[in-house]
Amino acid sequence: MKVTLMHGAGGEVMGELLQTLTKFSHNNAGGIGLEALDDGAVIPFHGHNLVFTTDSHVVRPIFFPGGDIGRIAVCGTINDLAMMGGRPIALSCGMIIEEGFEVEDLARIVASMDEALGEAGANLVTGDTKVMEKGALDGIAINTAGIGVADTIIRDNGLQPGDRIIVSGTLGDHGIAIMAHREGFDLGEQIKSDVAPLWGMVQQALFAGTIHAMKDPTRGGFASAMNEMAKKSHVCVRIREESLPFRRSVKSAAGMLGIDPLEVANEGKVVMGVPPSDVDAVLAALRSHKYGRDAAVVGTVTRGAHVIMETAIGGERFIEPPMGDPVPRVC
Ligand code: MG
């Protein structure tokens, strides 16, 4: 079998490749390890919970409406730390650059990374640079890793019956922005990536109330993240279609492109499971932050299995785990 683009698309097909890529017998340093396939690992260290994660970025185009590969490379890692409850402390950056790449573009990418770091209160403290000959690589690939510290560890498998599902804002913005841009849709500034560092918003939410489970709906979008959370938590999630927040422009572009906006990557959103007693406080905390203004309660956790959509016209259907994100190289 040979690797295909679908193997990197974050869905069920990638899960098959991960069976090979996660065959490590040395996979856990004492807390939460690779076996959990959570957003990051946790390593207990002298009474603290160190959170550790890594992410590689190959998004095309490198500069897109609302962001660029540098901003994604920093936010991807910061958000994976945040999803575990980790305050981001320090990041590394490995850049692999194709011969002929414009130094001016590298400067733009670095400035964009620095801005995102500043927003999250983190620092980039170590790095590596490699250059490959022309044709060996498509422009640039950036890997970041990050460490953080968690007072309370949040998992993606902690949903409990009765919990409400909250999403922190409109869904599908990043994936549809990338795809619309590639297709040359003239939508002006209407559709922009949501790429953003979320620690500040997550910290406010954690302070406001109990969060049972958390995940960022990146590749494979809300459909993938919600299915993974439900499956790992051994529960059913019922989503009310009418309560899902979408930008109108994103919804109509998704329709034109024939893409389900629930299956494309978001880079600045969180899906949470929150007990009913704390929903109002957590929702208010999210909405008070600039990245959480459109936060909404979209569903309820019950006993059982699967993710079920209660449709606007009174029907029901499964939200299936996607085979992969319909937008290749989305992050
Ligand atoms: Mg994640």
Side-chain angles (χ1 to χ4, degrees):
M1 189 177 78
K2 289 199 178 358
V3 172
T4 70
L5 273 178
M6 276 300 274
H7 281 124
E12 296 291 287
V13 177
M14 190 166 104
E16 291 164 22
L17 186 65
L18 287 183
Q19 286 178 13
T20 302
L21 294 180
T22 56
K23 266 197 185 132
F24 289 89
S25 51
H26 309 92
N27 65 358
N28 186 305
I32 298 165
L34 186 64
E35 76 291 339
L37 297 180
D38 208 323
D39 293 300
V42 176
I43 305 163
F45 188 76
H46 290 283
H48 295 282
N49 298 307
L50 293 183
V51 186
F52 185 36
T53 192
T54 185
D55 221 325
S56 297
H57 296 87
V58 296
V59 62
R60 286 301 172 277
I62 291 165
F63 302 98
F64 50 81
D68 56 75
I69 192 171
R71 186 168 173 84
I72 285 213
V74 166
C75 295
T77 285
I78 280 172
N79 294 347
D80 276 340
L81 293 174
M83 293 309 111
M84 304 297 291
R87 173 169 60 88
I89 309 277
L91 270 68
S92 73
C93 172
M95 285 199 189
I96 307 174
I97 307 163
E98 185 189 17
E99 180 185 19
F101 199 84
E102 290 289 343
V103 173
E104 203 174 294
D105 286 343
L106 282 177
R108 272 178 79 189
I109 290 166
V110 167
S112 174
M113 293 175 82
D114 199 35
E115 190 186 321
L117 286 163
E119 227 186 296
N123 288 280
L124 201 150
V125 295
T126 187
D128 175 60
T129 307
K130 296 285 189 293
V131 179
M132 293 179 80
E133 56 273 52
K134 203 159 186 58
L137 172 78
D138 181 12
I140 189 169
I142 303 179
N143 172 275
T144 57
I147 53 171
V149 175
D151 294 329
T152 311
I153 300 167
I154 313 289
R155 304 291 308 273
D156 60 6
N157 65 357
L159 294 177
Q160 294 177 22
D163 283 353
R164 302 296 188 263
I165 299 296
I166 295 178
V167 295
S168 64
T170 52
L171 295 169
D173 299 13
H174 176 72
I176 298 300
I178 292 282
M179 206 58 197
H181 186 70
R182 282 186 197 158
E183 295 293 315
F185 282 22
D186 183 18
L187 298 157
E189 283 292 284
Q190 278 187 63
I191 303 184
K192 280 199 288 195
S193 168
D194 58 354
V195 56
L198 297 177
W199 170 243
M201 181 183 76
V202 167
Q203 188 180 29
Q204 276 181 214
L206 287 167
F207 188 71
T210 298
I211 297 170
H212 281 159
M214 197 155 52
K215 199 166 194 65
D216 52 348
T218 52
R219 277 175 300 177
F222 176 82
S224 180
M226 199 68 265
N227 270 284
E228 199 176 331
M229 292 174 83
K231 192 174 176 188
K232 285 179 170 178
S233 308
H234 307 288
V235 294
C236 169
V237 173
R238 302 186 73 88
I239 299 296
R240 282 184 315 278
E241 184 173 27
E242 283 175 311
S243 60
L244 287 169
F246 292 108
R247 280 184 210 293
R248 213 185 317 164
S249 55
V250 166
K251 212 160 185 191
S252 60
M256 280 190 271
L257 293 162
I259 292 174
D260 182 350
L262 288 181
E263 295 190 356
V264 302
N266 309 269
E267 296 292 338
K269 299 289 152 50
V270 190
V271 181
M272 294 175 175
V274 176
S277 57
D278 291 22
V279 164
D280 289 347
V282 170
L283 199 58
L286 290 170
R287 285 179 177 165
S288 72
H289 194 279
K290 64 175 171 178
Y291 295 138
R293 278 192 204 118
D294 299 315
V297 178
V298 301
T300 306
V301 180
T302 64
R303 290 183 196 288
H306 303 297
V307 179
I308 297 167
M309 174 103 94
E310 299 171 356
T311 65
I313 53 164
E316 283 187 359
R317 68 172 176 85
F318 290 122
I319 298 179
E320 302 280 2
M323 297 306 286
D325 196 304
V327 184
R329 293 182 66 178
V330 74
C331 62

